Amino acid sequence: MRYGPAVRRRKLGAELRRQRELAELTSREAACAVGWHQSKVSRIETGCSGVKPSDVALLLDAYQVTDPELRALLGALCGAGSADPGEGAGARRGWWYAYRDRLPPAYLDFISLESEASHLRTLETTVVPGLLQTPEYARAVTRAALNDPPPEQVEELVRVRMARQSVLRGERPLELCAVLDEAVLRHEVGGREVMAGQLRHLVTTGHMKHVRLHVLPFSAGSHIGITGPFVIFSFPRIADLDVVVLDHLTSSLYLERKEDLRAYGSAFATLRTRALSHENSLDYIAGLHDGA
């Protein structure tokens, strides 16, 4: 297990090395092209040194990488997915850049990954995934999680959560597949009215062609998911970039080893087969809403 930034550095370094090799440059030639010492290129490629978005842009320019999607993804792997002062006015900044001084770095890191991912698989055992929450539900969850924080802090965090949901819209929306333990649907977060609205929203969102919901009923008995929720991010264009994220009360852990990725990928596939089909899940959620 490693924390996100370390995972990010290793994966970014490996991809930068691959792009250098595609450009048929040695590390010494790459360093000369951008005015660095060879050791800096080597440290970046091995993940031993952090790297600013502006430095990534310099290397990609030297490697003649012009694909905007690839450049954006590699920029996100720097850690916070936002521009730094050395990039100039034309640098790409994520919407979350405005919150950089008010959100924990780990949360910014998670948002930047989420914004560049092509697929997201998640198991949730207690609450509705953030990307599928209504504002009222998100507000109730935030109050509970932070032990009744100031109203202005709650509202800002709810705005951030709603902004995150933009990944489900646009020309190339995130492909989301969620397995929801029945407990997620039974907890009356925020009260009956708020929960009824949340269930209705799940049904509506579940009809989006890139969203798949699977309810894991209590009748499924014990299953591999009882160890806790997890998220699996998958990304376009770069092989071996999947990341598993485990959330804890005070931190998040990122798993990147191939054996970990296989284990969680297999676990998710198993849970999906144990759960109701997407169509039956939507009917089940609609039934709960009607009975609310």
Side-chain angles (χ1 to χ4, degrees):
M1 292 185 180
R2 297 184 185 178
Y3 288 96
V7 176
R8 219 67 2 86
R9 287 196 301 268
R10 190 193 69 81
K11 292 183 180 294
L12 174 61
E15 182 59 23
L16 288 174
R17 181 175 64 251
R18 191 176 78 88
Q19 292 299 326
R20 173 177 60 77
E21 292 171 348
L22 288 174
E24 299 183 343
L25 294 175
T26 66
S27 59
R28 183 180 298 276
E29 290 169 337
C32 289
V34 296
W36 297 347
H37 193 280
Q38 182 183 3
S39 62
K40 180 173 180 176
V41 174
S42 297
R43 289 196 304 272
I44 290 173
E45 291 185 350
T46 56
C48 295
S49 175
V51 56
K52 297 185 297 184
S54 55
D55 288 342
V56 171
L58 280 175
L59 290 173
L60 294 180
D61 288 344
Y63 306 156
Q64 298 184 10
V65 176
T66 58
D67 186 327
E69 291 185 3
L70 180 57
R71 292 179 71 102
L73 175 56
L74 296 180
L77 291 179
C78 291
S82 57
D84 67 65
E87 287 184 294
R92 178 183 184 274
R93 289 180 174 178
W95 59 264
W96 54 91
Y97 184 79
Y99 297 92
R100 66 194 181 281
D101 297 326
R102 303 193 297 279
L103 295 178
Y107 191 24
L108 291 170
D109 197 32
F110 184 93
I111 293 173
S112 70
L113 282 180
E114 187 177 70
S115 71
E116 299 298 340
S118 58
H119 294 76
L120 187 155
R121 289 167 285 169
T122 182
L123 165 70
E124 288 293 347
T125 57
T126 55
V127 297
V128 171
L131 293 180
L132 301 175
Q133 293 178 6
T134 64
E136 296 77 15
Y137 185 97
R139 195 169 289 115
V141 168
T142 301
R143 289 196 188 103
L146 298 183
N147 194 21
D148 200 22
E152 58 273 16
Q153 183 183 8
V154 172
E155 292 308 311
E156 181 171 68
L157 291 173
V158 170
R159 286 196 298 271
V160 169
R161 184 154 301 183
M162 294 303 104
R164 284 173 48 201
Q165 297 178 5
S166 63
V167 297
L168 296 178
R169 301 183 293 272
E171 294 182 3
R172 297 183 181 179
L174 176 71
E175 298 281 343
L176 171 63
C177 184
V179 173
L180 308 177
D181 190 282
E182 185 174 350
V184 171
L185 310 174
R186 296 287 185 180
H187 286 149
E188 285 194 359
V189 174
R192 178 164 295 191
E193 185 176 346
V194 169
M195 197 63 204
Q198 178 62 69
L199 293 174
R200 184 168 57 250
H201 182 68
L202 281 175
V203 174
T204 300
T205 309
H207 283 102
M208 301 173 78
K209 64 181 180 179
H210 51 280
V211 175
R212 311 296 291 179
L213 303 180
H214 298 273
V215 175
L216 192 62
F218 290 145
S219 59
S222 60
H223 52 77
I224 196 168
I226 60 175
T227 56
F230 59 85
V231 176
I232 305 175
F233 285 119
S234 297
F235 299 86
R237 312 183 71 88
I238 301 178
D240 190 31
L241 194 55
D242 285 13
V243 177
V244 175
V245 184
L246 307 178
D247 266 338
H248 297 273
L249 183 62
T250 58
S251 64
S252 296
L253 291 174
Y254 292 64
L255 284 68
E256 58 155 340
R257 296 184 308 167
K258 290 183 178 180
E259 51 267 42
D260 293 327
L261 296 173
R262 283 195 299 267
Y264 278 87
S266 176
F268 188 84
T270 298
L271 290 167
R272 192 172 176 181
T273 61
R274 297 279 299 275
L276 301 178
S277 69
H278 174 66
E279 293 75 15
N280 289 342
S281 294
L282 293 185
D283 289 342
Y284 189 84
I285 297 170
L288 288 176
H289 171 256
D290 292 340

